[in-house]
Amino acid sequence: MNLISVLIITYNQERFIRQAIDSVLAQETTFPVEILVGDDFSTDSTRAIIQQYERDYPGRVIGVLHPRNMGKNGGINFLETLKHAKGRYYALMDGDDYWTDNQKLQRQVEFLDAHPECSMVFHNALITYEDGSPPHTLNGADMKAVYTAADLIGEEDHDIWFMATSSTMYRNTIKEYPAWFSDSVSGDIPRLLLYAKQGNIGYLPEVMSVYRKNNNGTSFTDKWDDIVFLRNRFAMYSNINRELDYAFDKSYRKKLASIVRLMIKSRQYRNKFGGRLRFLAKYVRMAKPSMEELKVLLRDEVLPRKWVGRYSKVAIKSHRVLNGEAS
C-alpha cells in the first residue's frame, strides 16, 4: 500500500486548525492518506477540535496528543508525530496554514516517484498577514528547478528562507534524527539541510498553499537581539557545519562570526562592557576584520556612550585585551 502521511503540527491554533485539516481532506489522490495532527498540549480548544475530527473521520484523522508541552517551538512535537507516520513520503503543515490546490499531494508524490535523486520537493506559497498587509507569493520567477545544500546556507547575517513549511514533502527515510536536532528552536533549517545531504531538492512553481503570518507563528519567536536565541542559532549552524562534514566550512564560519557580532548588541549585554568586549574578541578571531572595521565596531557597538570621548585611551586598552587574555 503506497500510503502517504500528512503531519499537521499545531499549538493553540483553534482559529485555524479546521481549515488546515479540511484542506488535507479535500485532496484528490490515487493513494490513501493518513492525517496525523500533533498537538503540543494546547490550552485553547485546538485539542477538542482534533478529537472531533477523529470521531468524524476514524482511521483517517489521527490525533497525536502530547501529555505536556514538548517545547522547542514545536520541534519535539514534529519528531514525536513523525514516529507515527507509516507513509513512504510525508507532507508537513503548520496548524495555522492550509493548502489551496486539491492536487498538491498528487503532484508532489508524482514528482518524487519520477525523481529518485531528490530527497524532497517543495512548491511556491502565498503569504498572508494578520495585520492586513498585502499578500504576496513567497517565490519569484527566478527560482531554480533543483536545489542543493550549497543553496541553503544563506546570507552571513540572515537565515535563508524560500521554502514555506507547508509546501514541503519528504521521503520518509530519516528514522533517527541526530541528538542536536531537538536542541534547535528552528526545526525547518536543520531538517532541510539533513535532507539536502541525502539528495537534491525539487521545486514546483505553482502556488499550492497559504502561509499565514500571525502572532502565534514561530517566526515571531525569532529574537535577533536575544543572547539565548543567538547562542541557539550559533550551536545549530555549528552542528550543521559538522553534519555536512565541513564541505562549506568557509561559508558557515562567516555565518557563525556574524552571529557573534550580533551578540555584541544583544539586549542582555547592552550595559555590560566586559561581555561585549569578549564577544568582540571572539568576532575578531573568527572574522579577522580590518583595523578600520574594528575601530568602528569598538566605537559604535562596544564602548558605552559616555566613554566615546575617551575613545583613544580605551581603544589602546581594548586592543591589548583583544590580543591578550580575552576569550
Side-chain angles (χ1 to χ4, degrees):
M1 181 172 67
N2 292 323
L3 178 70
I4 303 300
S5 301
V6 174
L7 278 60
I8 302 177
I9 307 303
T10 187
Y11 173 69
N12 281 355
Q13 291 168 329
E14 61 183 5
R15 291 188 296 153
F16 310 117
I17 191 63
R18 287 187 179 88
Q19 190 171 18
I21 298 174
D22 287 342
S23 72
V24 183
L25 291 169
Q27 290 294 300
E28 299 168 356
T29 65
T30 58
F31 44 79
V33 176
E34 65 172 1
I35 306 170
L36 302 170
V37 189
D39 178 63
D40 212 0
F41 203 64
S42 292
T43 57
D44 61 5
S45 64
T46 298
R47 181 164 295 208
I49 294 170
I50 295 168
Q51 291 170 323
Q52 182 62 56
Y53 273 92
E54 285 187 293
R55 292 190 292 271
D56 292 344
Y57 299 91
R60 192 175 181 193
V61 177
I62 303 163
V64 182
L65 310 177
H66 306 305
R68 59 182 176 80
N69 185 275
M70 310 300 283
K72 297 297 181 183
N73 267 8
I76 310 299
N77 185 1
F78 159 72
L79 290 174
E80 292 301 312
T81 304
L82 181 61
K83 290 177 181 179
H84 296 265
K86 300 181 180 69
R88 59 194 174 105
Y89 306 146
Y90 70 88
L92 196 55
M93 182 190 290
D94 289 326
D96 55 350
D97 296 338
Y98 61 97
W99 295 341
T100 56
D101 190 321
N102 292 349
Q103 295 293 311
K104 171 206 157 68
L105 285 181
Q106 186 73 37
R107 293 211 46 206
Q108 289 190 297
V109 167
E110 290 174 355
F111 179 93
L112 288 177
D113 284 349
H115 295 86
E117 76 282 3
C118 288
S119 61
M120 60 170 290
V121 61
F122 72 106
H123 56 72
N124 206 350
L126 181 71
I127 303 177
T128 64
Y129 295 87
E130 190 177 54
D131 65 5
S133 298
H136 61 87
T137 54
L138 173 57
N139 302 318
D142 57 344
M143 295 288 288
K144 300 189 296 184
V146 175
Y147 288 84
T148 67
D151 298 308
L152 302 182
I153 298 172
E155 301 296 328
E156 291 181 20
D157 56 350
H158 290 91
D159 295 332
I160 195 164
W161 188 68
F162 55 82
M163 297 185 210
T165 303
S166 300
S167 76
T168 56
M169 177 179 281
Y170 309 81
R171 297 186 188 277
N172 194 5
T173 50
I174 302 180
K175 301 302 182 181
E176 191 74 30
Y177 277 73
W180 60 264
F181 178 89
S182 60
D183 292 329
S184 172
V185 295
S186 173
D188 282 345
I189 296 170
R191 180 174 53 250
L192 294 173
L193 266 300
L194 288 170
Y195 271 91
K197 185 179 179 181
Q198 291 196 342
N200 292 337
I201 298 173
Y203 173 65
L204 302 174
E206 290 80 10
V207 175
M208 293 190 278
S209 66
V210 166
Y211 169 63
R212 280 190 175 104
K213 281 271 194 179
N214 66 83
N215 292 332
N216 287 332
T218 56
S219 61
F220 282 86
T221 64
D222 291 355
K223 297 181 175 65
W224 290 96
D225 66 342
D226 180 78
I227 192 63
V228 176
F229 174 82
L230 292 170
R231 283 173 172 156
N232 188 276
R233 271 296 194 271
F234 187 94
M236 180 190 77
Y237 280 117
S238 297
N239 286 315
I240 288 173
N241 192 20
R242 184 177 64 252
E243 189 74 35
L244 297 178
D245 299 319
Y246 302 99
F248 310 100
D249 185 59
K250 184 177 180 180
S251 295
Y252 275 111
R253 287 184 68 82
K254 287 182 178 178
K255 179 174 285 292
L256 290 168
S258 71
I259 294 174
V260 173
R261 178 168 176 170
L262 290 174
M263 290 177 179
I264 299 171
K265 298 185 289 184
S266 61
R267 58 184 174 80
Q268 291 92 337
Y269 283 87
R270 284 173 186 164
N271 298 314
K272 297 180 180 179
F273 169 64
R276 294 201 305 275
L277 190 59
R278 286 192 294 274
F279 288 135
L280 178 61
K282 188 172 184 177
Y283 175 75
V284 168
R285 290 198 302 273
M286 295 181 69
K288 296 179 171 51
S290 66
M291 184 55 67
E292 188 59 35
E293 181 187 352
L294 179 57
K295 289 179 181 178
V296 172
L297 275 171
L298 189 62
R299 183 193 66 212
D300 295 346
E301 299 181 13
V302 177
L303 292 180
R305 289 185 179 276
K306 63 182 180 180
W307 288 14
V308 172
R310 295 178 286 167
Y311 171 72
S312 297
K313 291 181 180 180
V314 175
I316 294 172
K317 181 180 179 180
S318 300
H319 180 73
R320 291 172 179 168
V321 172
L322 291 172
N323 290 279
E325 300 177 356
S327 61

